[in-house]
Structures are given as structure tokens and as C-alpha cells.
Amino acid sequence: MNEFVAPEIDWAVLSPVLVVLAAGVVGVLVEAFVPARARRVVQLVLTLGALAGSLVAVALLWDRVLTDGLAFVVDGTVLLTPFTLGIQAVVALLALLGVLVVADRTSTGQDAFAPTAAAVPGTAYEDAARQAGLQQTEIYPLMLFATGGMLLFPATDNLIVLFIALEVLSLPLYVLCATARRRRLLSQEAAFKYFLLGSFASALMLFGIALVYGATATVSLELAVSRLANPDSPVLTMMPDLVIAAVLLISVGLLFKIGAAPFHTWTPDVYQGAPTPITAFMAACVKAAAIGAMVRVLFTLAAGLDEPLRRDLETGLWVVAILTMLVGTAAGAVQTDVKRMLAYSSIAHAGFLLVAMVGLDEVGAQAVLFYVLAYGLATLGAFAVVTLVREQDADGVVLGEATHLSQWAGLGRRSPLLATAFSLFLLSMAGIPLTAGFLAKFGAFSAAVEAGAWPLAVIGVLASIVAVFFYVRLIVLMVLTPPVEETADDGVTPAGAVAADGTPDDGFRDGEGVEDGPEPARTGTLTAARALAGRAAVVVVASQGPTAVAITVCAVGVVLLGIVPAAVLDWTTQAAAFRPFGP
Amino acid sequence: MELTNYLYLSVVLFALGATTVLLRRNTIVVFMGIELMLNATNLALVTFARMHGDVTGQVLAFFVMVVAAAEVVVGLAIIVTIFRARRSASVDDVNLLKS
């Protein structure tokens, strides 16, 4: 009989992922055993500690992986290359900043999350929960689990693990999307759309994985590729054409996660509806992790495909990249909601990332790594700024975020520092020189030109120019346009405003209003669909500290990467020395 | 019986599931469509495992079951929350975010 042989596991290789996931499990226990009063602090310390620990683990592994070219556990179930480690470092860093934004309660003393997400919006139960001062500290373990999935996603050669990592990454995010304190209906709707489309995409990807397994009798990507490259291998005689369908289906799953057209439709809705700190976390980290996985899968596959198939793959990438850039910039230019605008901008950035990797070579990988860092810092910072610009009703009660673009007019006079930081992030996204975004785009387009894809680079540059238009429009609005007249005292209460929006009144009204009669939302748990553009005053709330730190770090990062990028460019070049796993 | 027949069946089931997701309006039914897709994949995996004579496919099927269970938990929670807030389980009614 076969005897069980315990596999030898190199725990050091697992450490970046393991630290985060273990802390997530401990976080769940904290929820059960630590008294409610102390939970938030304990969770915060645990979460920040785990993410910092993960960064340290990556740093400790760096030299070893760089020397050996790769490190792996049990046949590449977890596989670290320098590029993977680079992506893990970026994800852990951005997640750390994301947690800071999530933790901030601002000067209003409330975080961005519902006291109990299970309560029906606008009910007495919700009120009671709010008045009892409940808070949902489960946010932090959920973020840790999602981050763990993101760290694992690009770090595996095994398609089973790839799928599991995708789900570990996605499921907590679906829940997190539904937990907003304000505009809860939108938040739940975002979670619902994200969930249905996300699980549809992962089901497609799973079928692709099944087809790879069917065609090659293995779930190891490298092994599958080496069998594909060798047409004499016995399993392949069965059905070689399965591979094309498989590659297509797996690509759909990955493209969905990075938000590339035509699989982008969820992005604006989810980014708009989710609590803004979660949007910041999601926009920055998921994109980094998913593009890392995409580089890993497509680069490995491309190495094994024969010339015509490889060319087909590149053509596919071309089409998707062009479509993504066009959709992102064209739709972004006509948005009136700042979160939606940033969402379309993130779609456009997915397109630029695809342009960078279209050559499927090391230059592309290097450009991708630098790009996700530059993009992540700018996006996270921008959404962090959005969390601080709020609406205020006639009684001076701070409500949800003022997301309508017209509400941002004159922000530069209200809060010059915040407006400066936001302008900086927008300029970086636009790719203006002396910011990180410029070098990132330069790297991406020159990688494409080097790979002979100069038409793509030209389209990319054109799309960037169009994008400059809508970024600069917002900056002009903030700096040069005077603030709109504050019309909050025209007697329209939030509840009335909702009714005016044509939203059914039943159960949709502001929760607090139900109990206190004429007095409008004391805590501003507005369940209304939209921002009260023009009907509420805009106010900039002060950060308690963490968000300010995150914004500062992002701003400094964006500037430093733009002015003295040498160290980081060296680092990405080292990391991109992409060596395939196996013989 | 020819093993490939199981593959045809799994492809048909998968396509049925995908069509359900795309065409049906009731959230619960849409959700069932996704589950059908996952289970069709399981059938394909198990058939491939049998064809190749190794157990990787069967192991993968177990993982898929676990993931599907977790997905049901999260998915039903979200669907029930939406239903309680809006008294509707139709995909078409979830449209506040349309710009």
C-alpha cells in the first residue's frame, strides 16, 4: 500500500501570505472573546501589525528569491518569483494604507461602516443599533482575508490554488461592499452586482481550469505548458483544441478582476456604491493582485504556445487593451460623480496596464510593476480625499460624501491642502511629468513600442490626452471656480429630497427622521440613492489622523516616484527578471 | 458508456447555467444558474479525472464544493439583505446606481 509521505514545506516562502491569513483568523477570535469596547483597538493593532509583518517577510525573502530566481512549496503550489514578491510588496503596502483610511472616524466620530450591516435601512432596529454605539469591527479581519487572497493570487503555479485565491480575495470584498453607513441601499446594490458578476466570472474561469486539466492532465501551469509545447505527449492527442477555449475562459476571469472592457461594467457601480475607504482598498489592491496573476498566467502560457496561437493571444490582448482605454476615457469624461469618474479612470488604467504587458516580456513586466505602484498610490490617495469631503444639512449635521462634481467647486478655498493633494493625484493619473504617473505611462508605452506594438502606444497616448481633459477640468473646478451658494437652508430636508428624487418613500427614508419627527438625520445615515447635489452644503471634515497619514504617504510617494524614481526603477527591473518555474 | 458523453452533458449544463444567469430576472434563480455552472464544472473535472486515471480532478471538485458553499453563504446573505430592504427579488429592480 502507499504510505503517506508528509510533504516538506518551506514555511518561509509562505510567510507573507501566512502572516496575514493567520492574523485574519485571530481577528475572528478577537470578535468572539474581546469585550466590545476594546475590539476596535485590538483589531487595528492586529491588522496593521500583520500587514507590516507581511511587508517585512517579503523584504526578508527578497535576497534569497533574487539569487535563486524562485522559491516554491510543494511543486509550485505557492511559487515566488522576484516579480511575484514585487507584487506582494505593492499589495501589502497599499493594503496597509487602505486600512489606515478605513480606520479613520474623522472629526464626526463615525467610521464609514454601518453599526450593523444586517439591519434593514431606515428601521427602528437600525436606529437602536446606532444609538447603542455598535460598530462593525469585523471589517478588519475581512480586509485581512481579502489581502491574504490577493497576496496568494499572483504567487502560485497551481490552477486550483489560483481559483481558491480568487475566491478568498473576492468573497470578503463582496461583504465589505455591502457595509456602508450611509447610502446603504446603494452599498447593498453594489455588493449584489459585484457578487453576481464576480461569481459568474469565476465560474467561467473555473471551467477554463477544468478544460486545461482535461487537455493536459495536470493543474500545474508550467507542466501544462510544457505538455502543450510537446505535441507528442499522450494526453494531448485527445483534444488539443480545448486549450483555446480554456485560455479564453481563464482570461475572462482575470480580465474581470482587473476591470478590463468588455468585462468592466461592474466597476463604476461597485466603486460608487461601496463605502469609500473600501473602494480605495479595492481599486488599488485588487488591480495590483489581479494584474500580477495575469502576468504570471499569460506569460507562462505564452512561453508554451506555438507561434500562431501566441499571435492570437496577443491580438486578443490588443483588442481588449484598446477597448478598455477607449471605454475608460470616453465614459470617464462625461461623469458627474467623482467616485464614478475615478472608477472609469481606473478602467482606463487597466487598459494602460494591458498595453504595458502586451509584449509578454520582461520589459513589460517591469513596466507593470512600476505602474501598479504609481497607480495604486494615486488612486488610494484620491479616494481617501473623497472620504473627507462631506455634505452637511441645514442643522450642521455631517452626512455622506459629497460626490457630485459640482459640489467640489471651490474646494481649493475651503481646504487648500486637501485640494492640492487631490490635484496631485489627478495629475499623476493623467501622467503629467514630475509625477509617478508620467514615468509609469512612459514605461508602459515604451514597453509596448519595444514589443512592436506602437499603434497601441499611440492610442494610449491619445487616450491619456483625452483623460487629461477631465482630470484638469476637476482641478480647475476645485481651484478656480468659486463654491456654489450654500442652499441647504431652502427647507428641503434629506427625506424630502429623497422623495423628490422619485425614490419610493416606504423604507427608504432617513432612519433617524422616523423617530425624531421633523429633526433631520442627526447622524446622517442617509439611505437616499444619490448625493444631495445642490441641496446640501459641502464641508470638509478633519481626519482623526490615519487618513491624513495615508494621504500624505500617497502624495509624497507620487512626488518621489516622479522626481527621484531611480531606486524604485532599479527595484522593479530586478524584480522583473522573470524566470519560468521548472526545467 | 462512452466517457465523453459525460463531458457533453457537463458542457450542456454549464451553458444552461450561463444562460440562466444572463436571461432570468429572479435573483435566486440567477444564483442557481451560477451554482449550476459550478456543478457542471465538477462533472467535467470528475470525468477528466476518470479519463486520465488520476485523482487531481476529484480533489479539485472537492475544493469547488467548499468554495461553492462559501459563496452560497455570502450570496444569500446579500440577496436576503436586498430583499428585506426593497421587498423585491428581481434583478431589474436593483437599479439605483444607473447614472
Side-chain angles (χ1 to χ4, degrees):
Chain A
M1 284 306 286
N2 290 339
E3 209 169 297
F4 175 71
V5 184
E8 214 168 285
I9 292 175
D10 188 348
W11 294 101
V13 173
L14 292 177
S15 58
V17 183
L18 217 52
V19 169
V20 172
L21 289 181
V25 173
V26 175
V28 173
L29 293 177
V30 167
E31 285 301 317
F33 294 113
V34 174
R37 203 174 294 256
R39 259 181 231 159
R40 180 167 175 272
V41 176
V42 175
Q43 292 284 22
L44 254 179
V45 171
L46 188 67
T47 310
L48 293 174
L51 291 172
S54 175
L55 267 179
V56 171
V58 169
L60 290 178
L61 276 167
W62 179 253
D63 279 335
R64 177 185 152 193
V65 173
L66 204 59
T67 328
D68 300 351
L70 52 89
F72 59 91
V73 174
V74 199
D75 290 339
T77 324
V78 169
L79 168 74
L80 293 183
T81 60
F83 178 78
T84 309
L85 266 187
I87 290 282
Q88 285 190 334
V90 173
V91 168
L93 175 71
L94 293 175
L96 195 63
L97 295 172
V99 170
L100 288 180
V101 182
V102 166
D104 201 326
R105 290 156 144 184
T106 72
S107 54
T108 59
Q110 299 170 336
D111 55 18
F113 303 97
T116 55
V120 177
T123 54
Y125 176 57
E126 190 197 25
D127 276 346
R130 187 164 57 234
Q131 268 145 15
L134 295 189
Q135 50 183 344
Q136 202 112 50
T137 41
E138 289 91 343
I139 299 297
Y140 301 104
L142 282 173
M143 282 183 81
L144 282 177
F145 285 127
T147 312
M150 291 176 208
L151 293 173
L152 188 58
F153 198 33
T156 178
D157 178 57
N158 187 308
L159 292 171
I160 304 181
V161 180
L162 188 79
F163 176 68
I164 304 280
L166 175 69
E167 292 294 328
V168 172
L169 172 175
S170 307
L171 291 177
L173 281 179
Y174 300 148
V175 178
L176 286 172
C177 281
T179 54
R181 176 183 282 270
R182 303 179 183 80
R183 299 189 194 128
R184 292 192 51 204
L185 290 177
L186 289 195
S187 171
Q188 293 174 353
E189 182 173 327
F192 174 75
K193 287 181 173 167
Y194 196 17
F195 168 74
L196 277 190
L197 294 174
S199 38
F200 185 58
S202 43
L204 289 176
M205 181 167 158
L206 183 66
F207 202 73
I209 291 172
L211 292 183
V212 169
Y213 173 67
T216 61
T218 174
V219 285
S220 155
L221 202 53
E222 296 277 354
L223 204 54
V225 165
S226 69
R227 288 190 183 163
L228 286 179
N230 172 18
D232 298 334
S233 86
V235 281
L236 265 183
T237 50
M238 212 168 53
M239 30 201 132
D241 287 345
L242 280 187
V243 179
I244 299 172
V247 172
L248 270 179
L249 287 170
I250 293 178
S251 308
V252 168
L254 293 168
L255 288 172
F256 176 86
K257 274 291 156 207
I258 68 165
F263 314 107
H264 68 284
T265 42
W266 61 276
T267 317
D269 283 356
V270 173
Y271 282 18
Q272 188 192 355
T276 313
I278 296 302
T279 312
F281 170 66
M282 205 160 52
C285 299
V286 175
K287 196 147 299 194
I291 198 82
M294 185 137 189
V295 166
R296 163 119 217 105
V297 170
L298 287 192
F299 281 37
T300 316
L301 274 177
L305 295 180
D306 50 358
E307 198 48 43
L309 261 183
R310 192 189 150 113
R311 206 166 306 131
D312 285 349
L313 185 64
E314 281 178 17
T315 317
L317 271 181
W318 274 57
V319 173
V320 174
I322 293 175
L323 207 60
T324 311
M325 287 187 290
L326 289 186
V327 167
T329 33
V334 297
Q335 295 305 315
T336 54
D337 184 288
V338 70
K339 281 169 91 178
R340 275 186 103 81
M341 194 205 86
L342 288 173
Y344 276 106
S345 130
S346 109
I347 294 173
H349 284 294
F352 299 137
L353 278 164
L354 290 174
V355 170
M357 60 178 281
V358 81
L360 303 172
D361 55 8
E362 278 181 20
V363 192
Q366 190 253 331
V368 163
L369 193 53
F370 190 85
Y371 202 114
V372 287
L373 182 58
Y375 156 84
L377 287 174
T379 303
L380 205 137
F383 278 114
V385 172
V386 174
T387 60
L388 296 179
V389 181
R390 298 290 191 76
E391 289 176 338
Q392 191 177 36
D393 69 8
D395 293 356
V397 176
V398 176
L399 307 171
E401 281 111 11
T403 52
H404 198 274
L405 280 187
S406 65
Q407 293 173 306
W408 284 64
L411 187 74
R413 294 179 201 186
R414 275 202 197 92
S415 175
L417 272 179
L418 210 58
T420 312
F422 197 66
S423 309
L424 188 64
F425 298 137
L426 289 180
L427 289 176
S428 176
M429 287 184 209
I432 303 294
L434 294 185
T435 60
F438 172 71
L439 283 167
K441 278 192 179 161
F442 182 77
F445 297 149
S446 51
V449 171
E450 236 170 276
W454 61 266
L456 263 189
V458 171
I459 297 176
V461 171
L462 289 178
S464 300
I465 294 172
V466 177
V468 168
F469 155 73
F470 66 83
Y471 293 128
V472 171
R473 189 186 58 178
L474 183 49
I475 295 174
V476 169
L477 189 72
M478 281 193 303
V479 179
L480 298 179
T481 319
V484 276
E485 281 300 302
E486 306 198 339
T487 51
D489 48 3
D490 64 358
V492 182
T493 64
V498 179
D501 269 350
T503 319
D505 212 29
D506 181 27
F508 284 68
R509 278 172 307 157
D510 176 75
E512 198 80 21
V514 178
E515 205 160 88
D516 300 349
E519 188 187 342
R522 160 127 286 127
T523 47
T525 319
L526 199 66
T527 52
R530 306 222 156 263
L532 297 170
R535 278 170 300 208
V538 178
V539 63
V540 176
V541 295
S543 157
Q544 261 187 333
T547 305
V549 172
I551 294 175
T552 314
V553 170
C554 288
V556 170
V558 163
V559 173
L560 282 187
L561 282 183
I563 299 174
V564 280
V568 179
L569 280 176
D570 277 353
W571 175 72
T572 52
T573 315
Q574 276 184 333
F578 187 78
R579 261 158 286 182
F581 164 64
Chain B
M1 194 160 96
E2 191 71 19
L3 273 176
T4 41
N5 287 342
Y6 289 99
L7 285 183
Y8 294 135
L9 176 64
S10 97
V11 171
V12 168
L13 285 176
F14 189 83
L16 268 179
T19 323
T20 309
V21 174
L22 297 175
L23 296 183
R24 294 300 294 266
R25 288 284 161 260
N26 186 306
T27 15
I28 301 287
V29 178
V30 169
F31 192 41
M32 280 162 58
I34 290 171
E35 292 300 310
L36 188 58
M37 289 166 78
L38 291 178
N39 284 311
T41 314
N42 274 350
L43 180 58
L45 282 169
V46 174
T47 315
F48 281 133
R50 172 86 191 188
M51 283 172 157
H52 297 317
D54 81 347
V55 291
T56 316
Q58 296 184 18
V59 173
L60 186 39
F62 275 115
F63 277 105
V64 175
M65 281 179 210
V66 174
V67 166
E71 216 167 61
V72 168
V73 173
V74 171
L76 279 184
I78 293 174
I79 292 173
V80 168
T81 324
I82 293 235
F83 178 76
R84 291 204 306 172
R86 309 185 189 215
R87 296 280 147 217
S88 154
S90 166
V91 184
D92 287 339
D93 290 342
V94 187
N95 58 3
L96 291 173
L97 275 163
K98 231 177 222 161
S99 62

